[in-house]
């Protein structure tokens, strides 16, 4: 069975890098129908509510800047955890799965609950 088409996305570079003391920006790596894969660098919080738990930059704000509310409503909805499927510690970097629509969110949660999505830590 073939899944929905996948579009690889290059996020616009902000020109900010770690060498000048600025925080590294996240990157949109893959965008598929209702789903997004984003690279979260260290220093960003995978925030799943409106209460920012740390002084870190919020990954939800980055996604909201890149996706309009009408096309990706979950990325703007705190009551659904901004669509995040899982979290990474602020000090960690890695890939984060995000549902941008209800269909995408439930499909990713279903796969996670059936252990079809695996995590690797290095």
């Amino acid at each position: 069975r073939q899944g929905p088409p996948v579009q690889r996305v290059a996020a616009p570079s902000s020109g900010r890098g770690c060498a000048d003391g600025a925080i590294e920006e996240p990157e949109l790596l893959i965008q598929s129908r209702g789903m997004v894969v984003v690279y979260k660098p260290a220093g960003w919080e995978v925030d799943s509510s409106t209460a920012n738990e740390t002084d870190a930059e919020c990954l939800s704000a980055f996604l909201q800047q890149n996706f309009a509310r009408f096309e990706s409503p979950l990325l703007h909805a705190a009551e659904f955890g901004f669509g995040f499927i899982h979290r990474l510690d602020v000090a960690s970097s890695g890939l984060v799965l995000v549902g941008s629509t209800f269909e995408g969110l439930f499909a990713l949660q279903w796969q996670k609950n059936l252990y079809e999505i695996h995590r690797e830590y290095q």
Side-chain angles (χ1 to χ4, degrees), residues 53-81:
E53 298 173 10
T54 68
D55 291 332
E57 298 285 336
C58 293
L59 195 58
S60 64
F62 170 80
L63 291 170
Q64 291 165 7
Q65 290 174 355
N66 286 278
F67 295 93
R69 182 183 301 266
F70 72 90
E71 65 185 15
S72 301
L74 284 182
L75 300 181
H76 299 264
E79 61 270 23
F80 294 101

Side-chain angles (χ1 to χ4, degrees), residues 3-9 30-37 98 100-101:
V6 173
Q7 176 185 3
R8 297 196 187 282
V9 178
I30 298 174
Q31 181 181 349
S32 185
R33 186 177 60 211
M35 303 173 199
V36 176
V37 178
V98 187
S100 58
T101 64

Side-chain angles (χ1 to χ4, degrees), residues 6-121:
V6 173
Q7 176 185 3
R8 297 196 187 282
V9 178
S13 174
S14 67
R16 294 178 1 179
C18 294
D20 61 3
I23 189 168
E24 184 181 359
E25 292 285 325
E27 292 182 55
L28 299 172
L29 299 179
I30 298 174
Q31 181 181 349
S32 185
R33 186 177 60 211
M35 303 173 199
V36 176
V37 178
V38 61
Y39 168 73
K40 183 201 89 66
W44 287 76
E45 180 180 354
V46 181
D47 54 313
S48 56
S49 69
T50 55
N52 188 355
E53 298 173 10
T54 68
D55 291 332
E57 298 285 336
C58 293
L59 195 58
S60 64
F62 170 80
L63 291 170
Q64 291 165 7
Q65 290 174 355
N66 286 278
F67 295 93
R69 182 183 301 266
F70 72 90
E71 65 185 15
S72 301
L74 284 182
L75 300 181
H76 299 264
E79 61 270 23
F80 294 101
F82 301 112
F84 294 122
I85 301 302
H86 59 95
R87 297 175 56 123
L88 291 176
D89 292 339
V90 171
S92 299
S93 62
L95 302 181
V96 177
L97 299 174
V98 187
S100 58
T101 64
F102 284 107
E103 179 183 10
L105 176 70
F106 295 140
L108 287 169
Q109 286 177 336
W110 178 262
Q111 292 175 61
K112 179 183 167 196
N113 292 337
L114 293 177
Y115 301 101
E116 293 181 5
I117 295 174
H118 303 279
R119 300 179 194 180
E120 287 186 26
Y121 299 94

